[in-house]
Amino acid sequence: MSYEVILATYNGERYIRTQVESILAQSIKPSRIIIRDDGSTDKTLSVLQELQKESNIDIKIISDGLNLGYIKNFEKLSEYVEAEFVFFSDQDDIWVESKAETLLAVFTSRSKANVVFSDAYLVDNDLQKLGTLWEHVKFTPESGKIKLEKILLNNVVTGATMAVRKSFLLSVMPFPAKIPHDYWLASNACASGSLIPLDEKLILYRQHANNQIGAKKSSLTDKFKAVFDANKRKKRIAHYREIYDLVHGLDKLQHNANMNDLSKDIFDYLNCVNAIYGGAIFEGETGKSLPSALLSPGYSKYTTKQSFIRDVLDGIIIRMNFHKTI
Protein backbone atom coordinates (compact mmCIF):
# COMPACT_ATOMS: atom_id res chain seq x y z
CA MET A 1 0.00 0.00 0.00
CA SER A 2 1.46 3.32 -1.08
CA TYR A 3 1.54 6.20 1.37
CA GLU A 4 3.09 9.64 1.63
CA VAL A 5 3.89 11.77 4.66
CA ILE A 6 3.11 15.48 4.81
CA LEU A 7 5.15 17.42 7.32
CA ALA A 8 4.75 21.09 8.28
CA THR A 9 7.80 22.89 9.65
CA TYR A 10 8.45 26.22 11.31
CA ASN A 11 11.66 27.00 13.22
CA GLY A 12 12.12 23.32 13.99
CA GLU A 13 15.89 22.94 13.60
CA ARG A 14 16.30 21.32 17.02
CA TYR A 15 14.12 18.26 16.44
CA ILE A 16 13.38 17.98 12.71
CA ARG A 17 16.24 15.60 11.89
CA THR A 18 15.14 13.10 14.54
CA GLN A 19 11.54 13.26 13.31
CA VAL A 20 12.40 12.71 9.64
CA GLU A 21 14.85 9.93 10.46
CA SER A 22 12.12 8.10 12.39
CA ILE A 23 9.88 8.32 9.29
CA LEU A 24 12.66 7.05 7.04
CA ALA A 25 13.19 4.11 9.45
CA GLN A 26 9.61 2.83 9.13
CA SER A 27 9.17 -0.90 8.55
CA ILE A 28 7.11 0.06 5.48
CA LYS A 29 8.77 3.03 3.80
CA PRO A 30 6.81 6.01 2.49
CA SER A 31 6.86 6.59 -1.25
CA ARG A 32 7.56 10.25 -0.54
CA ILE A 33 7.88 12.78 2.29
CA ILE A 34 6.45 16.19 1.40
CA ILE A 35 7.63 19.03 3.61
CA ARG A 36 6.53 22.64 3.48
CA ASP A 37 8.39 25.19 5.56
CA ASP A 38 6.26 28.05 6.86
CA GLY A 39 8.91 30.77 6.69
CA SER A 40 11.45 29.55 9.25
CA THR A 41 14.13 31.98 10.39
CA ASP A 42 16.42 29.33 11.89
CA LYS A 43 18.36 26.49 10.21
CA THR A 44 15.36 24.23 9.56
CA LEU A 45 15.74 24.43 5.78
CA SER A 46 19.45 23.64 5.93
CA VAL A 47 18.78 20.52 8.01
CA LEU A 48 16.05 19.43 5.58
CA GLN A 49 18.30 19.92 2.58
CA GLU A 50 20.98 17.77 4.23
CA LEU A 51 18.41 15.04 4.86
CA GLN A 52 17.22 15.32 1.26
CA LYS A 53 20.75 14.64 -0.02
CA GLU A 54 21.29 11.72 2.37
CA SER A 55 18.00 9.92 1.78
CA ASN A 56 17.24 7.31 -0.87
CA ILE A 57 13.54 8.11 -0.37
CA ASP A 58 12.09 11.08 -2.23
CA ILE A 59 11.89 14.14 0.03
CA LYS A 60 10.14 17.11 -1.54
CA ILE A 61 10.79 20.46 0.15
CA ILE A 62 8.49 23.42 -0.48
CA SER A 63 9.85 26.77 0.62
CA ASP A 64 8.06 29.84 -0.73
CA GLY A 65 8.80 32.13 2.19
CA LEU A 66 5.13 32.55 3.10
CA ASN A 67 3.83 32.10 6.63
CA LEU A 68 0.40 30.50 6.33
CA GLY A 69 -0.03 29.11 9.83
CA TYR A 70 -0.23 25.39 10.54
CA ILE A 71 -3.81 24.86 9.25
CA LYS A 72 -3.25 26.32 5.81
CA ASN A 73 0.25 24.85 5.70
CA PHE A 74 -1.25 21.35 5.93
CA GLU A 75 -3.89 22.32 3.39
CA LYS A 76 -1.19 23.39 0.94
CA LEU A 77 0.73 20.17 1.60
CA SER A 78 -2.41 18.12 0.94
CA GLU A 79 -2.56 19.51 -2.60
CA TYR A 80 0.69 17.67 -3.44
CA VAL A 81 -0.43 14.23 -2.27
CA GLU A 82 -0.42 11.49 -4.94
CA ALA A 83 -0.48 8.26 -2.91
CA GLU A 84 -3.65 6.50 -1.79
CA PHE A 85 -2.94 7.22 1.87
CA VAL A 86 -1.40 10.20 3.63
CA PHE A 87 0.12 10.47 7.09
CA PHE A 88 0.24 13.81 8.90
CA SER A 89 3.40 14.64 10.83
CA ASP A 90 4.55 17.32 13.23
CA GLN A 91 8.16 18.45 13.23
CA ASP A 92 9.23 17.44 16.73
CA ASP A 93 7.90 13.94 17.47
CA ILE A 94 9.33 10.47 16.92
CA TRP A 95 7.49 7.67 15.14
CA VAL A 96 7.57 4.10 16.44
CA GLU A 97 9.12 1.94 13.70
CA SER A 98 5.88 0.04 13.06
CA LYS A 99 3.58 3.08 12.95
CA ALA A 100 2.91 3.15 9.20
CA GLU A 101 2.62 -0.64 8.92
CA THR A 102 0.15 -0.77 11.83
CA LEU A 103 -2.13 2.00 10.55
CA LEU A 104 -2.06 0.74 6.97
CA ALA A 105 -3.21 -2.68 8.21
CA VAL A 106 -6.38 -1.04 9.54
CA PHE A 107 -7.18 0.39 6.11
CA THR A 108 -6.68 -3.10 4.67
CA SER A 109 -9.07 -4.71 7.12
CA ARG A 110 -11.61 -1.86 7.26
CA SER A 111 -12.53 -0.87 3.71
CA LYS A 112 -14.76 1.98 4.90
CA ALA A 113 -12.07 3.58 7.08
CA ASN A 114 -11.16 7.12 6.01
CA VAL A 115 -9.30 8.37 9.08
CA VAL A 116 -7.34 6.12 11.45
CA PHE A 117 -5.64 7.49 14.54
CA SER A 118 -3.71 6.04 17.46
CA ASP A 119 -2.70 6.73 21.02
CA ALA A 120 0.75 8.18 21.78
CA TYR A 121 3.35 8.39 24.52
CA LEU A 122 3.67 11.89 25.95
CA VAL A 123 7.36 12.72 26.42
CA ASP A 124 9.39 15.72 27.51
CA ASN A 125 12.31 17.27 25.64
CA ASP A 126 14.58 14.49 26.88
CA LEU A 127 12.09 11.79 25.78
CA GLN A 128 11.16 10.92 29.36
CA LYS A 129 7.64 9.50 29.35
CA LEU A 130 4.94 11.63 30.98
CA GLY A 131 1.99 9.32 30.40
CA THR A 132 -0.18 8.69 27.37
CA LEU A 133 -2.16 11.01 25.14
CA TRP A 134 -5.49 9.21 25.54
CA GLU A 135 -5.12 9.22 29.32
CA HIS A 136 -4.59 12.97 29.17
CA VAL A 137 -7.64 13.69 26.99
CA LYS A 138 -9.69 11.10 28.91
CA PHE A 139 -10.51 9.06 25.83
CA THR A 140 -11.40 5.38 25.96
CA PRO A 141 -12.86 4.00 22.72
CA GLU A 142 -15.80 1.69 23.25
CA SER A 143 -15.89 -1.06 20.65
CA GLY A 144 -14.28 1.32 18.16
CA LYS A 145 -17.38 3.52 18.16
CA ILE A 146 -16.99 7.26 18.79
CA LYS A 147 -19.96 9.55 19.26
CA LEU A 148 -19.87 12.63 17.03
CA GLU A 149 -20.85 14.96 19.86
CA LYS A 150 -17.75 13.76 21.74
CA ILE A 151 -15.54 14.90 18.86
CA LEU A 152 -17.42 18.16 18.31
CA LEU A 153 -17.25 19.28 21.93
CA ASN A 154 -13.80 17.96 22.76
CA ASN A 155 -11.66 16.67 19.93
CA VAL A 156 -9.57 13.65 20.95
CA VAL A 157 -7.94 13.07 17.55
CA THR A 158 -4.41 14.44 17.27
CA GLY A 159 -3.14 15.08 13.75
CA ALA A 160 0.33 13.69 14.45
CA THR A 161 -1.22 10.25 15.13
CA MET A 162 -3.46 10.26 12.08
CA ALA A 163 -3.52 8.61 8.64
CA VAL A 164 -6.11 9.57 6.04
CA ARG A 165 -7.42 8.15 2.78
CA LYS A 166 -6.55 10.60 -0.02
CA SER A 167 -10.00 10.56 -1.66
CA PHE A 168 -11.61 11.51 1.66
CA LEU A 169 -9.00 14.20 2.35
CA LEU A 170 -9.68 15.91 -0.97
CA SER A 171 -13.45 15.69 -0.43
CA VAL A 172 -13.33 17.87 2.72
CA MET A 173 -10.92 20.51 1.45
CA PRO A 174 -10.38 23.40 1.76
CA PHE A 175 -9.84 23.34 5.51
CA PRO A 176 -11.80 26.07 7.33
CA ALA A 177 -9.33 28.82 8.24
CA LYS A 178 -10.13 28.87 11.96
CA ILE A 179 -10.66 25.18 12.67
CA PRO A 180 -7.63 22.92 13.33
CA HIS A 181 -7.21 20.49 10.45
CA ASP A 182 -7.32 17.38 12.66
CA TYR A 183 -10.53 18.63 14.31
CA TRP A 184 -12.10 19.13 10.86
CA LEU A 185 -10.97 15.79 9.45
CA ALA A 186 -11.96 13.81 12.54
CA SER A 187 -15.42 15.39 12.72
CA ASN A 188 -16.19 14.74 9.07
CA ALA A 189 -14.94 11.16 9.30
CA CYS A 190 -16.94 10.55 12.47
CA ALA A 191 -20.08 12.03 10.88
CA SER A 192 -19.75 9.56 8.00
CA GLY A 193 -18.92 6.58 10.24
CA SER A 194 -15.37 6.24 8.94
CA LEU A 195 -13.25 7.34 11.93
CA ILE A 196 -11.29 4.43 13.44
CA PRO A 197 -9.32 4.59 16.73
CA LEU A 198 -6.40 2.22 17.22
CA ASP A 199 -5.45 1.53 20.83
CA GLU A 200 -1.68 1.44 20.26
CA LYS A 201 0.92 4.06 21.10
CA LEU A 202 2.68 4.76 17.82
CA ILE A 203 4.52 8.04 18.36
CA LEU A 204 6.51 9.80 21.05
CA TYR A 205 4.52 13.05 21.26
CA ARG A 206 6.91 15.68 22.53
CA GLN A 207 5.61 18.27 25.00
CA HIS A 208 7.51 21.54 25.33
CA ALA A 209 7.07 25.29 25.36
CA ASN A 210 7.13 25.57 21.56
CA ASN A 211 4.21 23.21 20.88
CA GLN A 212 1.52 24.98 18.84
CA ILE A 213 -1.03 22.52 20.14
CA GLY A 214 -0.14 19.98 22.77
CA ALA A 215 -1.22 18.11 25.85
CA LYS A 216 0.03 19.63 29.05
CA LYS A 217 -1.01 18.63 32.54
CA SER A 218 -2.49 21.31 34.79
CA SER A 219 -2.54 21.25 38.57
CA LEU A 220 -5.66 22.13 40.55
CA THR A 221 -4.06 25.48 41.38
CA ASP A 222 -3.37 26.15 37.70
CA LYS A 223 -6.98 25.36 36.82
CA PHE A 224 -8.23 27.74 39.54
CA LYS A 225 -5.94 30.52 38.33
CA ALA A 226 -7.07 29.92 34.74
CA VAL A 227 -10.62 30.93 35.67
CA PHE A 228 -9.43 34.46 36.41
CA ASP A 229 -6.93 34.64 33.53
CA ALA A 230 -8.36 36.87 30.77
CA ASN A 231 -6.22 35.19 28.10
CA LYS A 232 -7.41 31.75 29.18
CA ARG A 233 -10.99 33.01 29.03
CA LYS A 234 -10.41 34.25 25.49
CA LYS A 235 -9.16 30.78 24.57
CA ARG A 236 -12.29 29.21 26.03
CA ILE A 237 -14.44 31.61 24.03
CA ALA A 238 -12.37 30.84 20.92
CA HIS A 239 -12.98 27.12 21.46
CA TYR A 240 -16.75 27.62 21.61
CA ARG A 241 -16.52 29.68 18.42
CA GLU A 242 -14.62 26.78 16.82
CA ILE A 243 -17.46 24.43 17.71
CA TYR A 244 -19.99 26.89 16.29
CA ASP A 245 -18.07 27.27 13.01
CA LEU A 246 -17.37 23.53 12.81
CA VAL A 247 -21.02 22.51 13.10
CA HIS A 248 -21.96 25.06 10.44
CA GLY A 249 -19.27 23.60 8.17
CA LEU A 250 -20.39 20.02 8.79
CA ASP A 251 -23.98 20.94 7.98
CA LYS A 252 -22.88 21.95 4.49
CA LEU A 253 -21.00 18.71 3.81
CA GLN A 254 -22.87 16.05 5.77
CA HIS A 255 -26.44 15.75 4.54
CA ASN A 256 -28.13 13.19 6.77
CA ALA A 257 -30.88 13.13 9.37
CA ASN A 258 -28.58 12.26 12.27
CA MET A 259 -26.34 15.24 11.51
CA ASN A 260 -29.33 17.55 11.22
CA ASP A 261 -30.72 16.45 14.58
CA LEU A 262 -27.35 16.67 16.29
CA SER A 263 -26.54 20.09 14.88
CA LYS A 264 -29.86 21.42 16.23
CA ASP A 265 -28.97 20.08 19.68
CA ILE A 266 -25.45 21.52 19.54
CA PHE A 267 -26.71 24.92 18.39
CA ASP A 268 -29.23 24.89 21.26
CA TYR A 269 -26.35 24.16 23.63
CA LEU A 270 -24.20 26.91 22.09
CA ASN A 271 -27.07 29.36 22.28
CA CYS A 272 -27.09 28.78 26.05
CA VAL A 273 -23.30 29.11 26.22
CA ASN A 274 -23.52 32.33 24.22
CA ALA A 275 -26.01 33.70 26.75
CA ILE A 276 -23.75 32.69 29.64
CA TYR A 277 -20.83 34.48 28.00
CA GLY A 278 -22.84 37.61 27.30
CA GLY A 279 -23.03 37.14 23.53
CA ALA A 280 -19.26 36.72 23.10
CA ILE A 281 -19.46 33.45 21.13
CA PHE A 282 -21.49 34.64 18.12
CA GLU A 283 -23.63 37.60 17.15
CA GLY A 284 -27.39 37.55 17.60
CA GLU A 285 -29.96 37.73 20.36
CA THR A 286 -29.70 34.76 22.70
CA GLY A 287 -33.02 35.39 24.40
CA LYS A 288 -31.78 33.85 27.64
CA SER A 289 -30.59 35.23 30.96
CA LEU A 290 -27.62 33.72 32.77
CA PRO A 291 -29.80 31.67 35.18
CA SER A 292 -32.18 30.44 32.46
CA ALA A 293 -29.25 29.43 30.24
CA LEU A 294 -27.56 27.50 33.05
CA LEU A 295 -30.81 25.69 33.89
CA SER A 296 -31.76 24.94 30.31
CA PRO A 297 -32.06 21.24 29.30
CA GLY A 298 -30.22 22.13 26.09
CA TYR A 299 -27.22 23.25 28.13
CA SER A 300 -27.25 20.44 30.73
CA LYS A 301 -27.36 17.83 27.96
CA TYR A 302 -23.76 18.48 26.96
CA THR A 303 -22.08 20.31 29.82
CA THR A 304 -19.85 18.58 32.35
CA LYS A 305 -19.34 19.38 36.01
CA GLN A 306 -16.02 21.01 35.22
CA SER A 307 -17.29 23.08 32.30
CA PHE A 308 -20.41 24.09 34.25
CA ILE A 309 -18.34 25.58 37.06
CA ARG A 310 -16.00 27.24 34.59
CA ASP A 311 -18.87 28.71 32.56
CA VAL A 312 -20.64 30.02 35.68
CA LEU A 313 -17.51 31.80 36.86
CA ASP A 314 -16.76 33.13 33.38
CA GLY A 315 -20.32 34.42 33.05
CA ILE A 316 -20.14 36.23 36.39
CA ILE A 317 -16.69 37.71 35.68
CA ILE A 318 -17.76 38.89 32.23
CA ARG A 319 -20.77 40.64 33.71
CA MET A 320 -18.69 42.28 36.41
CA ASN A 321 -16.37 43.60 33.69
CA PHE A 322 -19.03 44.25 31.05
CA HIS A 323 -17.45 47.60 30.14
CA LYS A 324 -14.17 45.95 29.17
CA THR A 325 -13.40 44.21 25.89
CA ILE A 326 -13.80 40.45 26.13
Side-chain angles (χ1 to χ4, degrees):
M1 299 177 74
S2 176
Y3 76 96
E4 292 173 319
V5 178
I6 56 176
L7 198 164
T9 61
Y10 178 71
N11 288 346
E13 65 176 358
R14 184 176 178 184
Y15 302 112
I16 189 61
R17 172 172 280 276
T18 305
Q19 171 65 293
V20 173
E21 287 178 342
S22 75
I23 297 171
L24 294 172
Q26 289 296 293
S27 56
I28 296 180
K29 310 298 183 187
S31 57
R32 186 168 58 151
I33 303 173
I34 311 168
I35 304 171
R36 183 185 175 279
D37 186 72
D38 210 30
S40 291
T41 56
D42 65 358
K43 296 180 181 179
T44 298
L45 278 173
S46 297
V47 176
L48 292 175
Q49 289 163 355
E50 290 173 1
L51 285 162
Q52 188 180 47
K53 292 177 182 178
E54 297 168 7
S55 175
N56 56 7
I57 292 175
D58 185 12
I59 298 178
K60 180 179 179 61
I61 301 172
I62 304 160
S63 175
D64 52 24
L66 298 176
N67 183 273
L68 302 178
Y70 72 96
I71 297 172
K72 289 301 177 181
N73 195 356
F74 275 114
E75 179 180 290
K76 178 61 69 174
L77 281 161
S78 298
E79 295 172 1
Y80 290 88
V81 172
E82 296 176 355
E84 184 179 3
F85 301 100
V86 55
F87 286 64
F88 285 67
S89 174
D90 290 346
Q91 66 183 2
D92 50 8
D93 303 321
I94 298 175
W95 287 16
V96 174
E97 184 178 343
S98 60
K99 174 184 175 175
E101 181 178 358
T102 304
L103 293 182
L104 288 172
V106 178
F107 286 109
T108 300
S109 62
R110 305 284 290 271
S111 61
K112 294 183 178 180
N114 282 325
V115 176
V116 182
F117 69 103
S118 75
D119 197 356
Y121 291 109
L122 299 182
V123 298
D124 63 17
N125 285 343
D126 299 318
L127 303 183
Q128 297 298 309
K129 291 180 180 177
L130 306 173
T132 73
L133 178 59
W134 285 7
E135 287 173 349
H136 180 86
V137 299
K138 298 179 175 59
F139 173 62
T140 304
E142 298 177 0
S143 303
K145 181 69 173 178
I146 307 175
K147 293 183 178 180
L148 180 55
E149 55 264 38
K150 168 76 173 176
I151 297 292
L152 294 178
L153 299 176
N154 182 30
N155 182 35
V156 296
V157 182
T158 300
T161 70
M162 185 171 64
V164 182
R165 194 180 297 273
K166 176 190 171 184
S167 57
F168 171 79
L169 173 62
L170 297 181
S171 74
V172 298
M173 289 176 61
F175 298 156
K178 297 181 180 180
I179 300 173
H181 62 284
D182 47 11
Y183 196 8
W184 176 246
L185 288 166
S187 297
N188 276 282
C190 191
S192 61
S194 59
L195 176 66
I196 310 297
L198 184 63
D199 191 10
E200 293 192 41
K201 302 160 193 69
L202 297 178
I203 71 169
L204 307 185
Y205 187 37
R206 203 186 301 261
Q207 302 301 296
H208 53 79
N210 294 325
N211 281 49
Q212 292 230 21
I213 294 179
K216 297 182 176 64
K217 293 184 178 180
S218 299
S219 67
L220 187 61
T221 301
D222 290 336
K223 291 177 180 178
F224 180 77
K225 289 179 179 178
V227 171
F228 301 96
D229 186 326
N231 289 326
K232 296 284 188 180
R233 191 175 308 111
K234 288 179 180 178
K235 288 183 178 180
R236 290 192 287 272
I237 290 171
H239 175 62
Y240 283 127
R241 286 175 179 160
E242 277 184 358
I243 299 172
Y244 180 78
D245 291 340
L246 176 60
V247 177
H248 272 292
L250 282 175
D251 269 346
K252 294 179 181 178
L253 283 181
Q254 304 292 335
H255 304 292
N256 60 68
N258 289 336
M259 185 66 227
N260 291 337
D261 291 341
L262 178 59
S263 62
K264 289 177 183 177
D265 285 349
I266 297 292
F267 283 135
D268 186 21
Y269 165 74
L270 290 174
N271 188 52
C272 295
V273 173
N274 195 40
I276 294 168
Y277 281 79
I281 311 301
F282 54 85
E283 294 182 0
E285 180 59 44
T286 62
K288 293 180 182 292
S289 64
L290 177 59
S292 65
L294 291 169
L295 295 173
S296 170
Y299 176 70
S300 61
K301 184 173 183 177
Y302 292 117
T303 194
T304 63
K305 181 178 180 181
Q306 181 179 353
S307 62
F308 176 83
I309 295 171
R310 181 193 61 203
D311 290 345
V312 169
L313 293 173
D314 280 345
I316 292 172
I317 291 170
I318 285 171
R319 282 160 178 77
M320 291 174 61
N321 297 274
F322 64 90
H323 59 286
K324 296 181 181 180
T325 302
I326 294 172

